[in-house]
């Protein structure tokens, strides 16, 4: 009976993986990411809201164009395509152009626990961007492992020394300046 529940849970997570919560839980359950991802995502949302609250203590942004400018600055590393998806999700959630927007409403859950298009899009992007980043790291390390093995004239073993890893990661990500 317990195994059947487990299989049903996995099947439901696969079926509803279009939802950011289900997909994230599936990745955590499969060991592809740690629970710290959820804490980081909550911190991102909290930081977003906090910065807006500092700028607009009333909890309301004057209009959508002001909010879009803020979003573009906050998510400055997003590709143009992903930024367009975020803006489209905002348009879907807040269709009125000139009306003020309660920014806390952007992250609110409905009665079924679902979030609106804006939050779902931002959270889906966060998950995809983290997965892409990890894939880039894996690829860079694999290239380095093969290169090192070729230099040594040996078959790649699937292992890299800490020194090689410390050399590769800052090359791949300029934000990683020292490996402690």
């Amino acid at each position: 009976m317990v195994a059947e529940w487990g299989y049903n849970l996995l099947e439901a997570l696969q079926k509803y993986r279009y939802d950011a919560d289900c997909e994230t839980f599936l990745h955590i359950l499969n060991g592809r990411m740690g629970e710290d991802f959820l804490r980081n995502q909550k911190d991102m949302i909290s930081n977003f809201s906090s910065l807006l609250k500092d700028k607009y203590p009333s909890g309301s942004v004057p209009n959508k164009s002001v909010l879009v400018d803020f979003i573009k600055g906050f998510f400055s590393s997003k590709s143009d395509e992903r930024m367009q998806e975020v803006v489209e999700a905002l348009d879907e959630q807040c269709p009125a152009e000139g009306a003020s927007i309660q920014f806390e409403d952007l992250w609110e859950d409905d009665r079924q626990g679902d979030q609106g298009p804006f939050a779902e899009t931002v959270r889906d992007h966060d998950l995809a961007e983290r997965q892409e980043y990890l894939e880039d790291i894996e690829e860079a390390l694999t290239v380095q492992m093969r290169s090192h093995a070729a230099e040594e004239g040996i078959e790649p073993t699937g292992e890299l020394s800490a020194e090689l890893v410390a050399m590769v990661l800052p090359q791949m990500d300029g934000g990683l300046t020292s490996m402690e």
Side-chain angles (χ1 to χ4, degrees):
M1 184 68 138
V2 173
E4 185 178 338
W5 288 349
Y7 284 118
N8 287 339
L9 176 63
L10 284 173
E11 185 176 329
L13 290 171
Q14 288 287 350
K15 182 177 180 180
Y16 297 106
R17 74 179 310 151
Y18 62 84
D19 181 84
D21 293 316
C22 291
E23 186 171 15
T24 300
F25 184 61
L26 181 62
H27 287 301
I28 291 169
L29 197 62
N30 286 331
R32 285 198 224 141
M33 65 178 43
E35 290 181 45
D36 62 324
F37 173 79
L38 288 174
R39 282 188 291 282
N40 292 340
Q41 203 170 68
K42 286 180 182 178
D43 288 346
M44 174 199 55
I45 292 167
S46 176
N47 189 27
F48 179 95
S49 296
S50 178
L51 289 171
L52 276 172
K53 186 115 179 117
D54 289 346
K55 198 167 187 170
Y56 303 101
S58 68
S60 178
V61 178
N63 59 53
K64 195 184 311 181
S65 66
V66 170
L67 183 57
V68 168
D69 289 343
F70 174 83
I71 290 167
K72 288 180 178 179
F74 188 83
F75 296 114
S76 60
S77 63
K78 282 201 180 298
S79 69
D80 291 341
E81 180 181 330
R82 284 197 171 138
M83 184 56 69
Q84 184 61 36
E85 290 174 8
V86 170
V87 171
E88 287 172 5
L90 179 64
D91 287 341
E92 181 180 342
Q93 189 164 336
C94 306
E97 280 300 319
S100 65
I101 298 172
Q102 299 290 89
F103 53 82
E104 290 294 335
D105 292 349
L106 297 173
W107 305 105
E108 288 297 313
D109 293 347
D110 64 15
R111 284 188 273 187
Q112 287 82 30
D114 291 328
Q115 293 179 319
F118 175 80
E120 288 288 338
T121 300
V122 169
R123 293 182 69 221
D124 283 341
H125 285 181
D126 190 39
L127 178 61
E129 289 160 359
R130 287 173 194 259
Q131 289 174 315
E132 290 163 4
Y133 180 72
L134 292 175
E135 289 168 5
D136 289 347
I137 290 173
E138 184 177 358
E139 183 179 333
L141 292 174
T142 300
V143 166
Q144 181 61 38
M145 176 192 59
R146 289 182 179 148
S147 173
H148 178 69
E151 289 172 8
E152 298 291 321
I154 59 174
E155 286 294 315
T157 62
E159 297 179 7
L160 282 175
S161 68
E163 293 81 21
L164 287 174
V165 172
M167 181 185 75
V168 169
L169 291 180
Q171 290 173 354
M172 195 218 90
D173 182 346
L176 301 173
T177 55
S178 90
M179 302 299 297
E180 296 176 12

